[in-house]
Amino acid sequence: MSQRIADCFELAKKAGRKVLIPFITAGDPDPGWTVAVMHALAGAGADLIELGVPFSDPMADGPVIQLASERAIEKHVTLGTVLEMVKLFRQTDTDTPVVLMGYMNPVERYGNKRFPDHATIAGVDGLLLVDCPPQERDDLGVAMNDVGLDGICLVTPTTTRERVKDIAGVANGFIYYVSLKGITGAGQLDSSELREPIQQIREFSQLPVAVGFGIKNAEMAVNVAAHSDAVVMGSALVEALSVAKNSEEACSVATAFVAPVRESLDNMG
Amino acid sequence: MTENQPGLPDKRGHFGEFGGQFVSETLMHALDELQQAYGHWRKDEEFVQRMDEDLANYVGRPSPIYYAQRYSEAAAGAKIYLKREDLNHTGAHKINNTMGQGLLARYMGKKRVIAETGAGQHGVATATVAARLNQSCRVYMGDVDIQRQAINVFRMRLLGAEVTGVSAGSATLKDALNEAMRDWVGNVDDTFYIIGTVAGPHPYPEMVRDFNAVVGREARRQMLKLCDSLPDALVACVGGGSNAMGLFHPFLEDKNVKMFGVEAAGHGLESGQHAASLCAGRPGVLHGCRTYLLDDDAGQIRHTHSISAGLDYPGVGPEHAWLKETGRADYVAVTDEEALRAFHQLTRLEGIMPALESSHALAYGFKLAAGMRPDQRVLINLSGRGDKDVQTVAEIEGLSL
Ligand SMILES: Cc1ncc(COP(=O)(O)O)c(C=O)c1O
């Protein structure tokens, strides 16, 4: 179990604060800027950072994150590079949890036993593999448990009650509720439909619940946060970052994106 | 239709370490639902009867076994027999599977079907079945393939399907599959995803195999009747592996029958420009299953090359990975040039124009036969006809039609 993730949610809970989780694709728009952007995000009020690991075939991602992934791969970003970025980030930020989000094959190629070890040494706290449901984790799952790398699990609108229960039994860190039937960056999210599924998760799990997919602005974040402990914002931020021309600009974009969301979340009634 | 098939995959869809369900959580329920529906309907008398009738009267089964005498004489070794899947309605084995899945979609009450396609054969076979069953149909196809298989694109549109181009990645079959998955994730309630080969998450590898196993069951019967013995070797091309698996599976227990899956060596395995995941790849996870695939050291899936769009795929069905691992089947590869030569040779010697995919099997089968005795027999799966490839062949030879 990751202490940093547990502390992050514990602290927020005590302060009556919603956890804000921005997602960026590691290495996009430029590998040299990612660590600076992570610091900017944390500085502007992000509580936990989700770092997307680029993959050539991102089956669960919409066009925005697909393109970000393609750009990062063109710049030779690998899972190894991503670990280097986290290591660098940790030199000056030892509090903000970092969760890697990506797909199975790069992890498998790195080594299902070797990766969790190297990841925790670098300072990674959790791993969310979109195309690896808990029942397929096998040796990777064992290795993650051994070193205390949290396996973040997804629950979606199509997940049956039975399965929510199973997932709750193996999840750690927090549970990520996918707010819509679709890929990242898709369609319209109806926050009124969040109440029941989140209640169902809470029936089976004490873990905090984060909601993501389709949250594009502060207003939506507030509506979602009314039901959850945390909100994840990805595609809208990745898109905003994509036009930045240099590291400073990328950092200003990140700050300008996160700060108003932070403010709105903190002013929720 | 499907006889009771013992053995693999196990309940979770694993063939040894291969297979499984590596998909996003949103699809888990849909896969469970599909698994249950397939498990139920495959044993339903009415469903089975309907399937058998459609295969007979609509697809035109059984497809003949043809003794290719002149082709055999040229090889000057074993006798070469062809399983004529090219004579099926729509011109390839693909319809065996789309008939099954289309019907299953109907029984499950899904009114919309989607598919990915490479050569366009699976797209056409899906569009055909959708037209007949009055289902709305969208086919995803890489932009590169849309160009090299223009005739099939037009056929799909004539059949009422919407063909959506995919420009991401290498703009070929793998990218079309990604896009179809994304569609399915977003429309999982009313949509049935008809996967075109024995890849993807469980239960697809098993289901697509079962629907294509009619090829092997017929062939086994036909060879026994025709020659009083089973063939010494089976040869089939392997893209995702459905025509090969369909032929191989009913022969798995016949230990004296050798099996050869033929992959696309493109410009040669050493060139790096090929699509031979079993011959030159390693285990990994792609498109919902653990299998052999082509990737780089960072685990990114590599772009592939083959003259034939239907073989131009960086993965392969997990059961083939298993058959390779256990040594039950051998996997070999044939270059663009060899396949092209076989295409011409069969056309000129037998008056049968094979698909470029099938031409890979022919090229290897010919070589194999040449090294065997005259009293031996090689059965090659002629998975499809070559009409769709005429333009590609003309272009290579510098002709414009
Ligand atoms: C005629 C023909 N043969 C073979 C294939 C390869 O697919 P599989 O390996 O699933 O049989 C295709 C695919 O489009 C095809 O059209």
Side-chain angles (χ1 to χ4, degrees):
Chain A
M1 198 197 75
S2 151
Q3 199 55 47
R4 248 192 303 260
I5 292 180
D7 288 350
C8 164
F9 279 97
E10 194 55 40
L11 218 71
K13 194 174 177 183
K14 278 201 186 118
R17 167 187 162 103
K18 297 293 181 181
V19 167
L20 176 55
I21 309 179
F23 167 100
I24 59 171
T25 298
D28 179 65
D30 190 278
W33 312 346
T34 299
V35 174
V37 170
M38 289 169 75
H39 285 303
L41 292 169
D47 302 285
L48 186 156
I49 294 171
E50 226 179 80
L51 206 49
V53 180
F55 181 49
S56 53
D57 293 77
M59 263 183 348
D61 285 302
V64 169
I65 295 178
Q66 279 177 51
L67 288 172
S69 230
E70 278 185 22
R71 287 190 295 263
I73 291 170
E74 260 166 45
K75 297 192 171 172
H76 311 290
V77 175
T78 66
L79 191 51
T81 323
V82 177
L83 293 188
E84 289 303 318
M85 291 173 183
V86 178
K87 205 178 263 175
L88 211 58
F89 176 73
R90 281 279 171 255
Q91 286 182 357
T92 47
D93 186 329
T94 51
D95 296 329
T96 311
V98 175
V99 168
L100 301 189
M101 179 163 177
Y103 294 80
M104 185 68 185
N105 200 57
V107 171
E108 183 142 323
R109 190 58 62 230
Y110 195 100
N112 286 344
K113 294 208 174 71
R114 201 163 72 108
F115 177 72
D117 201 33
H118 290 196
T120 36
I121 290 171
V124 176
D125 304 288
L127 177 64
L128 197 175
L129 291 176
V130 185
D131 61 347
C132 187
Q135 75 274 10
E136 297 285 4
R137 272 194 213 142
D138 296 342
D139 54 337
L140 175 65
V142 172
M144 285 169 67
N145 277 337
D146 284 350
V147 296
L149 181 65
D150 281 353
I152 310 298
C153 292
L154 297 174
V155 170
T156 73
T158 58
T159 309
T160 57
R161 191 179 163 80
E162 195 67 16
R163 237 183 112 71
V164 172
K165 195 172 152 191
D166 290 347
I167 291 170
V170 295
N172 34 42
F174 58 93
I175 289 182
Y176 189 138
Y177 182 70
V178 175
S179 55
L180 44 82
K181 291 177 203 164
I183 50 181
T184 55
Q188 283 304 311
L189 139 81
D190 182 354
S191 58
S192 69
E193 286 178 9
L194 292 173
R195 214 168 54 88
E196 269 180 53
I198 291 179
Q199 249 168 16
Q200 192 174 62
I201 295 171
R202 297 208 195 278
E203 252 185 75
F204 298 113
S205 174
Q206 307 288 327
L207 292 177
V209 177
V211 174
F213 280 42
I215 305 172
K216 297 188 165 85
N217 52 45
E219 191 192 339
M220 289 169 90
V222 166
N223 290 337
V224 166
H227 303 279
S228 69
D229 304 298
V231 292
V232 186
M233 299 179 77
S235 296
L237 172 57
V238 170
E239 181 146 45
L241 281 170
S242 69
V243 294
K245 304 239 166 10
N246 53 49
S247 181
E248 293 72 37
E249 212 180 302
C251 291
S252 334
V253 169
T255 304
F257 188 92
V258 166
V261 181
R262 177 77 273 161
E263 195 181 329
S264 304
L265 287 177
D266 290 346
N267 293 333
M268 284 172 67
Chain B
M1 193 203 37
T2 46
E3 282 144 26
N4 193 23
Q5 316 259 14
L8 298 175
D10 67 17
K11 264 204 198 101
R12 281 172 48 208
H14 290 243
F15 303 87
E17 65 167 303
F18 303 105
Q21 294 181 313
F22 292 86
V23 294
S24 61
E25 179 58 33
T26 310
L27 292 178
M28 286 305 301
H29 178 60
L31 291 175
D32 277 352
E33 199 181 63
L34 176 60
Q35 201 174 329
Q36 274 169 26
Y38 176 56
H40 172 78
W41 292 112
R42 69 191 289 191
K43 293 192 206 103
D44 180 83
E45 226 170 274
E46 185 197 301
F47 183 89
V48 173
Q49 192 190 343
R50 174 93 202 256
M51 207 38 220
D52 287 345
E53 276 170 23
D54 284 353
L55 287 175
N57 306 326
Y58 189 70
V59 176
R61 303 207 70 90
S63 69
I65 293 259
Y66 169 72
Y67 168 47
Q69 189 174 349
R70 294 192 68 209
Y71 200 58
S72 303
E73 281 165 12
K79 290 195 172 82
I80 297 173
Y81 293 80
L82 306 177
K83 178 65 174 161
R84 299 291 308 274
E85 290 300 297
D86 60 315
L87 294 178
N88 292 340
H89 180 43
T90 71
H93 69 291
K94 296 282 179 189
I95 194 139
N96 302 322
N97 171 43
T98 59
M99 282 296 323
Q101 290 197 52
L103 202 58
L104 189 57
R106 188 195 181 99
Y107 275 69
M108 288 175 74
K110 309 268 180 187
K111 296 198 162 52
R112 176 174 182 265
V113 298
I114 56 170
E116 84 294 339
T117 198
Q121 286 305 108
H122 174 60
V124 168
T126 302
T128 298
V129 168
R132 178 159 174 265
L133 296 175
N134 194 22
Q135 293 157 331
S136 99
C137 175
R138 176 181 287 194
V139 178
Y140 291 94
M141 190 166 184
D143 284 343
V144 170
D145 292 335
I146 284 186
Q147 245 178 15
R148 56 181 166 175
Q149 303 287 343
I151 293 170
N152 271 345
V153 174
F154 189 54
R155 284 168 81 193
M156 287 184 265
R157 290 188 171 136
L158 287 172
L159 288 159
E162 201 180 329
V163 180
T164 303
V166 179
S167 60
S170 55
T172 58
L173 181 55
K174 84 173 172 77
D175 310 285
L177 213 150
N178 290 336
E179 206 53 37
M181 275 290 178
R182 292 182 189 117
D183 180 315
W184 200 27
V185 169
N187 301 286
V188 63
D189 293 331
D190 71 342
T191 297
F192 190 108
Y193 179 13
I194 301 186
I195 294 187
T197 190
V198 288
H202 180 64
Y204 284 100
E206 178 187 23
M207 180 169 70
V208 177
R209 172 196 78 194
D210 292 350
F211 286 139
N212 266 306
V214 66
V215 176
R217 283 199 303 276
E218 282 176 11
R220 206 174 174 286
R221 221 167 33 231
Q222 289 166 317
M223 287 302 285
L224 284 172
K225 186 156 173 216
L226 205 64
C227 327
D228 256 341
S229 86
L230 294 176
D232 297 279
L234 305 175
V235 182
C237 66
V238 176
S242 65
N243 86 87
M245 211 57 234
L247 177 65
F248 293 175
H249 197 257
F251 288 90
L252 284 179
E253 303 300 321
D254 300 310
K255 300 293 181 208
N256 294 327
V257 179
K258 291 205 170 71
M259 299 174 177
F260 297 91
V262 187
E263 297 192 304
H267 296 314
L269 293 185
E270 62 297 333
S271 73
Q273 293 179 291
H274 58 78
S277 19
L278 288 163
C279 293
R282 52 190 170 183
V285 172
L286 178 66
H287 292 149
C289 61
R290 180 173 283 116
T291 187
Y292 272 73
L293 49 78
L294 297 166
D295 64 353
D296 66 17
D297 290 337
Q300 309 295 359
I301 306 305
R302 271 170 38 194
H303 290 196
T304 50
H305 164 80
S306 169
I307 189 177
S308 102
L311 303 185
D312 205 350
Y313 179 64
V316 66
E319 194 165 7
H320 284 294
W322 172 246
L323 293 183
K324 174 189 166 77
E325 206 82 345
T326 58
R328 178 62 188 96
D330 284 315
Y331 294 89
V332 295
V334 152
T335 63
D336 286 354
E337 214 184 295
E338 292 172 291
L340 203 57
R341 213 178 309 133
F343 171 90
H344 285 299
Q345 202 181 5
L346 193 78
T347 303
R348 295 300 290 268
L349 288 177
E350 299 287 353
I352 298 173
M353 201 178 292
L356 284 174
E357 290 80 11
S358 323
S359 300
H360 287 71
L362 288 160
Y364 187 77
F366 188 89
K367 271 196 287 195
L368 181 70
M372 290 166 68
R373 295 189 314 269
D375 62 319
Q376 292 182 300
R377 297 180 186 85
V378 173
L379 174 62
I380 302 175
N381 200 6
L382 187 52
S383 57
R385 65 176 187 230
D387 308 41
K388 69 180 174 60
D389 296 313
V390 167
Q391 199 141 357
T392 304
V393 173
E395 252 166 52
I396 289 167
E397 292 171 4
L399 305 169
S400 75
L401 301 180

